[in-house]
Protein backbone atom coordinates (compact mmCIF):
# COMPACT_ATOMS: atom_id res chain seq x y z
CA UNK A 1 0.00 0.00 0.00
CA UNK A 2 1.45 3.35 -1.04
CA UNK A 3 1.78 5.92 1.74
CA UNK A 4 1.22 9.59 1.13
CA UNK A 5 4.40 11.61 1.45
CA UNK A 6 2.99 14.36 3.64
CA UNK A 7 2.25 14.68 7.32
CA UNK A 8 0.80 17.30 9.59
CA UNK A 9 2.23 18.41 12.90
CA UNK A 10 1.18 21.16 15.26
CA UNK A 11 4.20 23.25 16.19
CA UNK A 12 3.39 24.76 19.53
CA UNK A 13 6.89 24.38 20.87
CA UNK A 14 8.53 23.75 17.58
CA UNK A 15 7.33 20.20 18.16
CA UNK A 16 9.90 17.52 17.59
CA UNK A 17 9.64 15.74 14.30
CA UNK A 18 11.59 12.57 13.77
CA UNK A 19 11.85 11.05 10.31
CA UNK A 20 8.73 11.50 8.21
CA UNK A 21 8.02 7.78 8.23
CA UNK A 22 8.05 7.75 12.01
CA UNK A 23 5.59 10.61 12.30
CA UNK A 24 3.35 9.13 9.66
CA UNK A 25 3.09 6.09 11.82
CA UNK A 26 2.11 8.05 14.89
CA UNK A 27 3.82 8.25 18.21
CA UNK A 28 2.23 5.19 19.74
CA UNK A 29 2.02 4.05 23.34
CA UNK A 30 4.23 5.89 25.81
CA UNK A 31 5.92 4.66 28.96
CA UNK A 32 8.42 6.74 30.93
CA UNK A 33 11.13 5.14 33.04
CA UNK A 34 13.83 6.80 35.12
CA UNK A 35 15.86 3.60 35.31
CA UNK A 36 16.39 0.92 32.73
CA UNK A 37 15.93 -2.74 33.61
CA UNK A 38 19.08 -4.85 33.54
CA UNK A 39 19.03 -7.45 30.78
CA UNK A 40 19.73 -11.02 31.79
CA UNK A 41 21.88 -11.54 28.70
CA UNK A 42 23.77 -8.68 27.08
CA UNK A 43 22.92 -8.30 23.41
CA UNK A 44 26.25 -6.64 22.69
CA UNK A 45 29.55 -6.38 24.52
CA UNK A 46 29.74 -2.97 26.20
CA UNK A 47 33.46 -3.52 26.86
CA UNK A 48 34.17 -4.08 23.17
CA UNK A 49 32.08 -1.05 22.18
CA UNK A 50 33.85 1.22 24.66
CA UNK A 51 37.23 0.10 23.39
CA UNK A 52 36.31 0.54 19.75
CA UNK A 53 34.74 3.97 20.28
CA UNK A 54 37.89 5.09 22.09
CA UNK A 55 40.00 3.94 19.15
CA UNK A 56 37.75 5.69 16.62
CA UNK A 57 37.85 8.88 18.68
CA UNK A 58 41.64 8.79 18.69
CA UNK A 59 41.72 8.29 14.90
CA UNK A 60 39.41 11.27 14.34
CA UNK A 61 41.35 13.41 16.78
CA UNK A 62 44.71 12.47 15.31
CA UNK A 63 44.05 12.28 11.58
CA UNK A 64 40.73 13.85 10.51
CA UNK A 65 41.53 16.82 8.28
CA UNK A 66 38.56 19.04 9.14
CA UNK A 67 38.83 18.63 12.90
CA UNK A 68 37.82 22.24 13.52
CA UNK A 69 34.32 21.32 12.32
CA UNK A 70 33.95 18.36 14.66
CA UNK A 71 31.13 18.57 17.20
CA UNK A 72 31.99 16.04 19.90
CA UNK A 73 28.42 15.88 21.25
CA UNK A 74 27.04 15.35 17.76
CA UNK A 75 29.46 12.46 17.25
CA UNK A 76 28.36 10.90 20.51
CA UNK A 77 24.67 11.30 19.66
CA UNK A 78 25.36 9.81 16.24
CA UNK A 79 26.84 6.70 17.83
CA UNK A 80 23.77 6.17 20.00
CA UNK A 81 21.40 6.90 17.12
CA UNK A 82 23.25 4.41 14.94
CA UNK A 83 22.84 1.68 17.53
CA UNK A 84 19.05 2.06 17.49
CA UNK A 85 18.96 2.51 13.71
CA UNK A 86 20.78 -0.81 13.28
CA UNK A 87 17.69 -2.57 14.67
CA UNK A 88 16.09 -1.92 11.30
CA UNK A 89 12.89 -0.76 13.04
CA UNK A 90 11.77 2.74 11.96
CA UNK A 91 9.86 3.14 15.23
CA UNK A 92 12.84 2.49 17.53
CA UNK A 93 14.95 5.62 17.89
CA UNK A 94 17.42 7.55 20.04
CA UNK A 95 16.65 11.12 21.20
CA UNK A 96 19.25 13.46 22.63
CA UNK A 97 18.28 15.57 25.64
CA UNK A 98 16.71 18.40 23.63
CA UNK A 99 14.82 16.04 21.35
CA UNK A 100 13.62 13.92 24.28
CA UNK A 101 12.21 16.99 26.03
CA UNK A 102 10.35 18.02 22.89
CA UNK A 103 9.07 14.49 22.35
CA UNK A 104 7.51 14.34 25.81
CA UNK A 105 6.06 17.85 25.50
CA UNK A 106 4.50 17.06 22.12
CA UNK A 107 2.39 14.26 23.60
CA UNK A 108 0.91 16.54 26.23
CA UNK A 109 -0.82 18.74 23.65
CA UNK A 110 0.16 21.93 25.47
CA UNK A 111 3.50 23.71 25.32
CA UNK A 112 5.21 26.98 24.45
CA UNK A 113 5.31 27.57 20.73
CA UNK A 114 3.86 29.07 17.56
CA UNK A 115 0.27 27.84 17.39
CA UNK A 116 0.68 26.60 13.82
CA UNK A 117 -0.21 23.37 12.04
CA UNK A 118 2.42 22.64 9.38
CA UNK A 119 2.00 20.31 6.42
CA UNK A 120 5.41 18.83 5.58
CA UNK A 121 6.08 17.18 2.23
CA UNK A 122 8.97 14.74 2.53
CA UNK A 123 9.58 14.68 -1.25
CA UNK A 124 9.77 18.41 -1.89
CA UNK A 125 10.99 19.29 1.61
CA UNK A 126 8.40 22.06 1.85
CA UNK A 127 6.89 23.27 5.13
CA UNK A 128 3.45 24.69 4.39
CA UNK A 129 1.33 26.46 7.00
CA UNK A 130 -1.97 24.58 6.86
CA UNK A 131 -3.66 26.21 9.85
CA UNK A 132 -2.99 29.06 12.26
CA UNK A 133 -4.74 28.57 15.60
CA UNK A 134 -7.00 31.45 16.71
CA UNK A 135 -5.42 33.68 19.35
CA UNK A 136 -2.01 32.05 18.88
CA UNK A 137 1.38 33.81 18.71
CA UNK A 138 1.47 32.98 15.00
CA UNK A 139 -1.85 34.76 14.39
CA UNK A 140 -0.64 37.80 16.31
CA UNK A 141 2.51 37.84 14.18
CA UNK A 142 0.46 37.84 10.96
CA UNK A 143 1.30 34.33 9.72
CA UNK A 144 -1.37 33.01 7.34
CA UNK A 145 -2.51 29.59 6.17
CA UNK A 146 -0.78 28.90 2.87
CA UNK A 147 2.50 30.56 3.84
CA UNK A 148 5.54 28.50 2.85
CA UNK A 149 8.39 28.52 5.38
CA UNK A 150 11.83 28.90 3.77
CA UNK A 151 14.04 30.22 6.56
CA UNK A 152 14.21 30.28 10.38
CA UNK A 153 16.38 33.18 11.50
CA UNK A 154 19.48 32.89 9.32
CA UNK A 155 18.95 29.16 8.69
CA UNK A 156 17.47 28.07 5.32
CA UNK A 157 15.14 25.07 5.62
CA UNK A 158 15.83 23.75 2.11
CA UNK A 159 17.58 20.40 2.24
CA UNK A 160 17.19 20.08 6.00
CA UNK A 161 15.58 17.05 7.64
CA UNK A 162 12.16 17.68 9.16
CA UNK A 163 13.42 16.98 12.67
CA UNK A 164 16.11 19.64 12.28
CA UNK A 165 13.70 22.34 11.14
CA UNK A 166 11.15 21.52 13.83
CA UNK A 167 13.97 21.68 16.34
CA UNK A 168 14.71 25.25 15.25
CA UNK A 169 11.06 26.15 15.88
CA UNK A 170 10.96 25.20 19.56
CA UNK A 171 12.11 27.14 22.59
CA UNK A 172 11.05 28.62 25.90
CA UNK A 173 8.02 30.77 26.62
CA UNK A 174 8.89 34.35 25.71
CA UNK A 175 11.57 33.42 23.16
CA UNK A 176 11.38 35.26 19.85
CA UNK A 177 11.79 33.62 16.46
CA UNK A 178 12.17 35.40 13.13
CA UNK A 179 10.51 33.33 10.42
CA UNK A 180 10.65 33.88 6.67
CA UNK A 181 7.85 32.74 4.38
CA UNK A 182 6.81 32.86 0.73
CA UNK A 183 3.22 34.04 0.36
CA UNK A 184 0.77 33.78 -2.52
CA UNK A 185 1.11 32.47 -6.04
CA UNK A 186 3.82 35.03 -6.79
CA UNK A 187 5.78 33.81 -3.73
CA UNK A 188 6.33 37.21 -2.17
CA UNK A 189 8.81 37.02 0.76
CA UNK A 190 7.27 37.81 4.15
CA UNK A 191 9.01 38.04 7.52
CA UNK A 192 7.26 37.45 10.87
CA UNK A 193 8.65 37.79 14.39
CA UNK A 194 6.89 35.39 16.76
CA UNK A 195 7.03 35.40 20.56
CA UNK A 196 6.53 31.85 21.80
CA UNK A 197 3.74 31.31 24.31
CA UNK A 198 1.89 28.42 25.93
CA UNK A 199 -0.91 27.28 23.63
CA UNK A 200 -3.15 24.23 23.86
CA UNK A 201 -3.39 22.15 20.71
CA UNK A 202 -6.97 22.08 19.40
CA UNK A 203 -7.04 18.37 18.55
CA UNK A 204 -10.85 18.15 18.32
CA UNK A 205 -13.30 20.10 16.17
CA UNK A 206 -17.04 19.59 15.84
CA UNK A 207 -20.25 20.94 14.32
CA UNK A 208 -23.86 19.94 13.82
CA UNK A 209 -24.80 19.05 10.26
CA UNK A 210 -28.28 18.94 8.77
CA UNK A 211 -30.56 16.13 9.88
CA UNK A 212 -29.20 15.97 13.41
CA UNK A 213 -25.88 14.50 12.25
CA UNK A 214 -23.07 15.40 14.59
CA UNK A 215 -19.62 15.78 13.05
CA UNK A 216 -16.54 15.37 15.28
CA UNK A 217 -12.95 15.29 13.98
CA UNK A 218 -9.91 14.24 16.02
CA UNK A 219 -6.60 15.32 14.45
CA UNK A 220 -4.28 13.59 16.95
CA UNK A 221 -4.59 11.71 20.22
CA UNK A 222 -2.86 13.71 22.96
CA UNK A 223 -3.39 14.10 26.70
CA UNK A 224 -5.63 17.14 26.06
CA UNK A 225 -7.74 15.25 23.51
CA UNK A 226 -9.98 13.40 25.97
CA UNK A 227 -11.25 16.58 27.64
CA UNK A 228 -11.79 18.24 24.26
CA UNK A 229 -13.57 15.16 22.93
CA UNK A 230 -15.86 14.91 25.97
CA UNK A 231 -16.78 18.60 25.73
CA UNK A 232 -17.50 18.29 22.00
CA UNK A 233 -19.73 15.24 22.52
CA UNK A 234 -21.66 17.02 25.28
CA UNK A 235 -22.20 20.02 23.01
CA UNK A 236 -23.45 17.86 20.14
CA UNK A 237 -25.80 15.99 22.48
CA UNK A 238 -27.17 19.30 23.76
CA UNK A 239 -27.98 20.25 20.16
CA UNK A 240 -30.06 17.09 19.67
CA UNK A 241 -27.55 14.87 17.87
CA UNK A 242 -29.27 11.86 16.27
CA UNK A 243 -26.20 10.24 14.71
CA UNK A 244 -22.45 10.82 14.59
CA UNK A 245 -19.63 11.06 12.08
CA UNK A 246 -16.23 10.53 13.72
CA UNK A 247 -13.51 11.80 11.38
CA UNK A 248 -10.10 10.18 11.99
CA UNK A 249 -8.60 10.94 8.58
CA UNK A 250 -5.02 12.14 8.82
CA UNK A 251 -4.90 11.22 12.52
CA UNK A 252 -1.41 9.78 13.02
CA UNK A 253 -2.17 8.41 16.48
CA UNK A 254 -0.72 9.27 19.85
CA UNK A 255 -1.54 8.20 23.39
CA UNK A 256 -3.08 4.73 23.64
CA UNK A 257 -4.46 5.36 27.13
CA UNK A 258 -6.44 8.31 25.74
CA UNK A 259 -7.62 6.23 22.77
CA UNK A 260 -8.96 3.59 25.17
CA UNK A 261 -10.68 6.24 27.30
CA UNK A 262 -12.39 7.59 24.18
CA UNK A 263 -13.55 4.08 23.29
CA UNK A 264 -15.02 3.68 26.80
CA UNK A 265 -17.54 6.35 25.75
CA UNK A 266 -18.67 4.19 22.82
CA UNK A 267 -18.23 0.46 23.49
CA UNK A 268 -20.27 -2.18 25.32
CA UNK A 269 -18.66 -4.26 28.04
CA UNK A 270 -15.70 -6.24 26.75
CA UNK A 271 -12.14 -6.12 25.47
CA UNK A 272 -10.89 -2.91 23.85
CA UNK A 273 -7.54 -4.25 22.66
CA UNK A 274 -4.99 -6.93 23.45
CA UNK A 275 -1.22 -6.44 23.61
CA UNK A 276 1.30 -9.20 23.11
CA UNK A 277 4.68 -8.41 24.66
CA UNK A 278 8.09 -10.04 24.48
CA UNK A 279 8.26 -13.59 25.82
CA UNK A 280 4.56 -14.14 25.12
CA UNK A 281 3.12 -11.96 27.89
CA UNK A 282 -0.40 -10.77 27.04
CA UNK A 283 -2.34 -7.86 28.53
CA UNK A 284 -5.89 -6.66 27.86
CA UNK A 285 -7.56 -3.25 27.96
CA UNK A 286 -11.27 -3.53 28.81
CA UNK A 287 -14.46 -1.47 28.92
CA UNK A 288 -17.29 -1.79 31.47
CA UNK A 289 -19.94 -0.67 28.95
CA UNK A 290 -21.37 1.99 31.29
CA UNK A 291 -21.35 4.68 28.55
CA UNK A 292 -22.19 2.60 25.47
CA UNK A 293 -23.11 4.80 22.50
CA UNK A 294 -26.48 3.78 21.04
CA UNK A 295 -26.82 6.00 17.97
CA UNK A 296 -25.91 5.34 14.33
CA UNK A 297 -22.29 6.17 13.64
CA UNK A 298 -19.80 6.40 10.77
CA UNK A 299 -16.01 6.56 11.14
CA UNK A 300 -14.05 8.27 8.35
CA UNK A 301 -10.52 6.96 7.72
CA UNK A 302 -7.77 7.19 5.12
CA UNK A 303 -4.23 5.99 4.49
CA UNK A 304 -2.92 8.40 7.14
CA UNK A 305 -5.17 7.07 9.90
CA UNK A 306 -2.62 5.32 12.10
CA UNK A 307 -1.66 3.88 15.47
CA UNK A 308 -3.99 4.99 18.28
CA UNK A 309 -6.52 6.16 15.67
CA UNK A 310 -6.54 2.63 14.25
CA UNK A 311 -7.18 1.24 17.73
CA UNK A 312 -10.33 3.39 17.89
CA UNK A 313 -11.37 2.41 14.36
CA UNK A 314 -10.74 -1.32 14.79
CA UNK A 315 -12.66 -1.58 18.05
CA UNK A 316 -15.69 0.33 16.74
CA UNK A 317 -15.72 -1.83 13.62
CA UNK A 318 -15.33 -5.12 15.51
CA UNK A 319 -18.23 -4.34 17.85
CA UNK A 320 -20.43 -3.14 14.98
CA UNK A 321 -20.76 0.27 16.61
CA UNK A 322 -19.84 2.14 13.43
CA UNK A 323 -19.64 1.79 9.67
CA UNK A 324 -16.08 2.57 8.55
CA UNK A 325 -15.92 4.69 5.39
CA UNK A 326 -12.91 5.80 3.34
CA UNK A 327 -9.67 4.07 2.33
CA UNK A 328 -7.51 1.42 4.01
CA UNK A 329 -5.69 2.77 7.05
CA UNK A 330 -1.91 3.03 7.51
CA UNK A 331 -1.30 -0.21 9.38
CA UNK A 332 0.69 0.51 12.53
CA UNK A 333 -0.21 -2.28 14.91
CA UNK A 334 2.81 -2.13 17.20
CA UNK A 335 3.49 -0.21 20.40
CA UNK A 336 6.55 1.68 21.57
CA UNK A 337 7.86 2.44 25.06
CA UNK A 338 10.01 5.45 25.85
CA UNK A 339 12.87 4.96 28.32
CA UNK A 340 14.34 8.08 29.89
CA UNK A 341 18.09 7.89 30.50
CA UNK A 342 19.97 9.53 33.35
CA UNK A 343 21.38 12.36 31.22
CA UNK A 344 17.92 13.42 29.99
CA UNK A 345 18.18 11.64 26.66
CA UNK A 346 15.77 8.84 25.74
CA UNK A 347 15.23 5.83 23.54
CA UNK A 348 11.97 4.69 22.02
CA UNK A 349 11.76 0.95 21.46
CA UNK A 350 9.03 -1.28 20.03
CA UNK A 351 7.81 -3.44 22.92
CA UNK A 352 4.54 -5.07 21.84
CA UNK A 353 2.03 -5.78 19.11
CA UNK A 354 -1.66 -5.00 19.57
CA UNK A 355 -4.78 -6.75 18.32
CA UNK A 356 -8.34 -5.51 17.89
CA UNK A 357 -11.14 -7.00 20.06
CA UNK A 358 -11.74 -9.77 17.50
CA UNK A 359 -8.04 -10.66 17.48
CA UNK A 360 -7.06 -8.93 14.24
CA UNK A 361 -3.42 -7.93 13.84
CA UNK A 362 -3.37 -4.85 11.63
CA UNK A 363 0.36 -4.13 11.45
CA UNK A 364 1.49 -3.43 7.85
CA UNK A 365 -2.02 -4.43 6.75
CA UNK A 366 -4.28 -1.68 7.99
CA UNK A 367 -8.03 -1.69 8.46
CA UNK A 368 -10.21 -2.15 5.39
CA UNK A 369 -13.27 0.15 5.39
CA UNK A 370 -16.77 -1.32 5.29
CA UNK A 371 -17.53 1.16 2.51
CA UNK A 372 -14.53 2.08 0.36
CA UNK A 373 -14.64 5.65 -0.96
CA UNK A 374 -11.73 7.50 -2.52
CA UNK A 375 -11.48 11.23 -1.91
CA UNK A 376 -12.42 12.79 -5.24
CA UNK A 377 -12.41 16.59 -5.12
CA UNK A 378 -13.44 16.77 -8.80
CA UNK A 379 -16.85 15.40 -7.85
CA UNK A 380 -17.40 17.27 -4.57
CA UNK A 381 -15.45 19.01 -1.85
CA UNK A 382 -15.39 15.80 0.19
CA UNK A 383 -16.78 12.62 -1.34
CA UNK A 384 -16.01 10.58 1.77
CA UNK A 385 -17.92 12.93 4.07
CA UNK A 386 -20.78 13.05 1.55
CA UNK A 387 -21.01 9.24 1.64
CA UNK A 388 -21.06 9.24 5.44
CA UNK A 389 -23.90 11.75 5.47
CA UNK A 390 -25.78 9.68 2.91
CA UNK A 391 -25.45 6.56 5.05
CA UNK A 392 -26.74 8.35 8.13
CA UNK A 393 -29.59 10.12 6.33
CA UNK A 394 -31.81 7.07 5.97
CA UNK A 395 -29.83 4.40 4.12
CA UNK A 396 -28.87 1.34 6.11
CA UNK A 397 -25.17 0.77 6.86
CA UNK A 398 -23.65 -1.36 4.15
CA UNK A 399 -20.49 -3.17 3.24
CA UNK A 400 -18.85 -2.95 -0.17
CA UNK A 401 -17.38 -0.42 -2.54
CA UNK A 402 -19.01 2.88 -3.36
CA UNK A 403 -18.87 4.06 -6.92
Amino acid sequence: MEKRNTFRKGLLAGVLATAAAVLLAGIGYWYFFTQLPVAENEVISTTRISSKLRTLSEIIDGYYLFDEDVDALALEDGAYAGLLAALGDPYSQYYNQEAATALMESGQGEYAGLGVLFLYDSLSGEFLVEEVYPGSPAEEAGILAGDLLYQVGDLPVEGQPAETVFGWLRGEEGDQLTLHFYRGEDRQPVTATVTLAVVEVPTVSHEMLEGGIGYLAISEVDVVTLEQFTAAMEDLESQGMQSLILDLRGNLGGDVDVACDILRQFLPEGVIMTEEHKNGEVTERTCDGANEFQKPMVVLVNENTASAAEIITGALQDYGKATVVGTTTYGKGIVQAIFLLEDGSAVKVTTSQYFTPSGRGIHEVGITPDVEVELDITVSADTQLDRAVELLSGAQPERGTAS
Side-chain angles (χ1 to χ4, degrees), residues 71-295:
D71 184 331
L73 291 178
L75 287 178
E76 185 178 349
D77 285 340
Y80 304 141
L83 181 64
L84 271 296
L87 294 174
D89 175 12
Y91 308 110
S92 295
Q93 192 166 354
Y94 168 79
Y95 299 87
N96 63 23
Q97 184 176 10
E98 181 180 9
T101 299
L103 176 67
M104 291 183 289
E105 287 177 346
S106 68
Q108 301 304 308
E110 182 178 272
Y111 16 72
L114 308 177
V116 168
L117 184 67
F118 274 98
L119 180 65
Y120 169 70
D121 190 314
S122 60
L123 294 182
S124 68
E126 292 183 339
F127 295 79
L128 180 71
V129 176
E130 184 173 34
E131 182 181 352
V132 177
Y133 300 140
S136 68
E139 184 182 60
E140 294 179 5
I143 297 173
L144 302 177
D147 286 351
L148 189 66
L149 180 70
Y150 70 88
Q151 189 168 308
V152 179
D154 297 326
L155 304 171
V157 305
E158 184 177 0
Q160 294 293 336
E163 63 268 26
T164 299
V165 175
F166 288 145
W168 295 342
L169 293 169
R170 68 177 305 271
E172 303 293 333
E173 185 175 7
D175 286 353
Q176 286 193 333
L177 294 178
T178 301
L179 308 178
H180 304 274
F181 299 91
Y182 292 123
R183 178 172 294 170
E185 293 183 1
D186 55 356
R187 295 171 66 91
Q188 288 295 316
V190 175
T191 299
T193 300
V194 185
T195 302
L196 303 186
V198 176
V199 184
E200 182 177 295
V201 183
T203 63
V204 175
S205 60
H206 71 287
E207 63 178 305
M208 183 64 74
L209 307 179
E210 291 184 4
I213 300 174
Y215 171 85
L216 190 153
I218 304 177
S219 60
E220 55 188 86
V221 186
D222 293 332
V223 173
V224 299
T225 302
L226 181 61
E227 182 178 350
Q228 295 175 7
F229 168 82
T230 302
M233 286 290 288
E234 290 176 352
D235 185 50
L236 290 173
E237 292 284 9
S238 72
Q239 297 182 57
M241 176 175 63
Q242 299 300 309
S243 58
L244 175 66
I245 296 172
L246 179 63
D247 192 345
L248 299 179
R249 293 175 296 177
N251 186 319
L252 304 176
D255 192 310
V256 171
D257 287 333
V258 174
C260 290
D261 284 338
I262 289 173
L263 283 168
R264 290 186 178 101
Q265 299 192 40
F266 287 121
L267 297 181
E269 182 178 2
V271 174
I272 296 175
M273 61 177 287
T274 303
E275 290 179 75
E276 184 175 313
H277 306 268
K278 190 174 183 178
N279 301 323
E281 179 187 355
V282 175
T283 58
E284 287 184 344
R285 307 290 187 97
T286 60
C287 175
D288 62 11
N291 302 303
E292 183 179 358
F293 190 71
Q294 300 289 355
K295 298 174 181 178

Side-chain angles (χ1 to χ4, degrees), residues 378-396:
T378 65
V379 177
S380 74
D382 192 335
T383 47
Q384 293 167 336
L385 178 59
D386 289 347
R387 191 71 174 103
V389 170
E390 179 184 342
L391 289 170
L392 293 174
S393 296
Q396 294 296 316

